[in-house]
Each structure stands twice: as structure tokens, then as C-alpha cells.
Amino acid sequence: PAPPALLPYVPRLSPMALPGKLTATTFALERPHCIFQQHSNASDAIWLVVAFANASAAFRNPPSRAEVPLYQQLPTRGSYMTLEMAVGTCSCSAPSPAVLRVGADTACGAQAGHDPCNGPLPSPGPYRVKFLLMGCQGPKAETSWSEPILLRRASSPSAIDPSPVCGGSSAVVVVSSILASLGAVLALAVLSAVGAEVWASLCHQGLGIDTSARRSYRTHHILPTLPLPTGCGGSPPG
């Protein structure tokens, strides 16, 4: 088969200011928007390839979905594929902005390992990623590899100095203690006042709760899931 087309797109972290865009086990990628349009049809799927930076050059595109490397193979193989998406997820008409959070599925460790999984990344890396368009006959198009992505490192408890900083006068220590005590008293007074106001409001309403006023915590920037294609002679994996 002909090699997949190389598209002029380099994956990158989302440019949006997001909380937790880069953590010790996850990172948030920009969605590849409107780049596979001329190479895809309804039966294709878009995959994300994740590899250790020093193993990306050795990665070989799988000839079919049955040979996609799994998340559980990352420690030994150095790469895996995840986030299988319908082509429409990244089409020109798809809503934007949106991100793809790599490493978000904490249930991967409990799975049998037969299906692709988006599990937490096991080390800071660095990692490289690319997007791969897969059709019924194999790979059709791919992006370039990203620049190395280094995750945050958790601070070691041994690196924290438990001893107090010396050199301050006793007067400074006394003043700091007094200010801390006054701050605690003030905070307690504010909390008491707020609690009393809330209780009075609830009593006035007969302790009723308006379910229509509940806040939704659904994040607007996470990509919605679309049904995977079924045009290759079978149904999408469950």
C-alpha cells in the first residue's frame, strides 16, 4: 500500500489558558481542526499516537486497527495509540475551540487491556505525539510529530526543608503570631456572618431547593464524543 500522506500540521499543547493544561500525568492538546478533510471519508477514524520522545522515530504505523499498540504496552514498546475519534470530530464544521486531554482515563489499569485506552502517563517523559488517519485498508494520512512534551514533576518530600528560617528577631516572631491570630478570628467572624445569612435565607424559603438553579460543571472545552464509524464490516468497539 502507498504510504500515508504527510500533512503540514504539528500537534501542540492547547494555546488556551486552562487549569491543569500540564500535570504530572496528563496534558491538553489542541484539536486538529480541518486538516484531514481532503483525505477522509465517513468510515475513517482519527487516532492519537503517543510515544516517548526517544522512541518516536522507531514507531511504525499499524496496518489495521487490530494491530494498534495499546496503552499497556507503553513501558515495553515505548508508544501506544489512543483517543480513537470519528472524522467528524475534527471536521471543518466541528465547534471550536476544543481540546484533547491525554492521560485522563484513570480506569485504564482495571481494564483487561484488549481495547485502546487513554490512561495516565507513567512518567514525566518527554513525549511526542502525532495524529494518524486510519481507513478500512490502513493508514491514509498523518501529521508530523510534536515537539517534546515534558510533564510536571512532583516535588520529593525529601527536598522540603522542615527547619525554620533562622535570623529573624523575636519581635518579628511575636508580631507574626499576633497577626496570624487576628486573621483567624476575623475569618471565623466572616464565616459566622455568612452562615447566619444563608440559614436565614433557607428558613425564609422553607428550606426549599430549586433544582433548576444547580450549577453545571461540564467543561465547555472538552471535545464531545461522536459515534465511531461502522463502515469496515463491523461495529465500533465497546
Side-chain angles (χ1 to χ4, degrees), residues 124-148:
Y127 300 90
R128 290 182 187 268
V129 298
K130 71 173 181 178
F131 291 98
L132 178 63
L133 177 68
M134 294 275 288
C136 297
Q137 306 301 319
K140 298 175 65 175
E142 64 182 346
T143 69
S144 299
W145 287 99
S146 70
E147 293 297 318

Side-chain angles (χ1 to χ4, degrees), residues 23-224:
T23 72
T25 58
T26 68
F27 57 88
L29 282 178
E30 175 186 66
R31 176 187 59 177
H33 182 250
C34 199
I35 66 170
F36 294 103
Q37 203 80 351
Q38 297 182 356
H39 301 271
S40 62
N41 56 50
S43 63
D44 298 338
I46 300 171
W47 290 81
L48 179 71
V49 183
V50 183
F52 289 119
N54 59 3
S56 59
F59 178 83
R60 296 295 178 264
N61 295 328
S64 68
R65 189 189 185 281
E67 299 180 61
V68 162
L70 303 178
Y71 163 76
Q72 290 80 1
Q73 297 174 289
L74 176 61
T76 56
R77 184 167 179 159
S79 60
Y80 69 102
M81 290 171 61
T82 186
L83 292 176
E84 182 182 11
M85 300 172 284
V87 171
T89 304
C90 302
S91 67
C92 298
S93 59
S96 185
V99 300
L100 302 171
R101 188 169 292 280
V102 182
D105 188 358
T106 57
C108 280
Q111 295 180 4
H114 299 299
D115 289 328
C117 187
N118 183 27
L121 297 168
S123 71
Y127 300 90
R128 290 182 187 268
V129 298
K130 71 173 181 178
F131 291 98
L132 178 63
L133 177 68
M134 294 275 288
C136 297
Q137 306 301 319
K140 298 175 65 175
E142 64 182 346
T143 69
S144 299
W145 287 99
S146 70
E147 293 297 318
I149 298 172
L150 184 65
L151 302 185
R152 295 185 181 276
R153 297 177 182 269
S155 298
S156 172
S158 61
I160 302 175
D161 185 3
S163 60
V165 178
C166 300
S169 66
S170 58
V172 172
V173 175
V174 172
V175 171
S176 299
S177 300
I178 294 175
L179 290 177
S181 300
L182 290 176
V185 172
L186 179 60
L188 181 61
V190 172
L191 289 175
S192 299
V194 172
E197 183 177 349
V198 171
W199 178 255
S201 176
L202 289 175
C203 290
H204 179 72
Q205 298 176 14
L207 297 180
I209 299 177
D210 183 6
T211 56
S212 65
R214 291 178 180 173
R215 180 180 177 183
S216 172
Y217 289 91
R218 179 183 177 90
T219 53
H220 70 280
H221 57 269
I222 300 299
L223 207 61

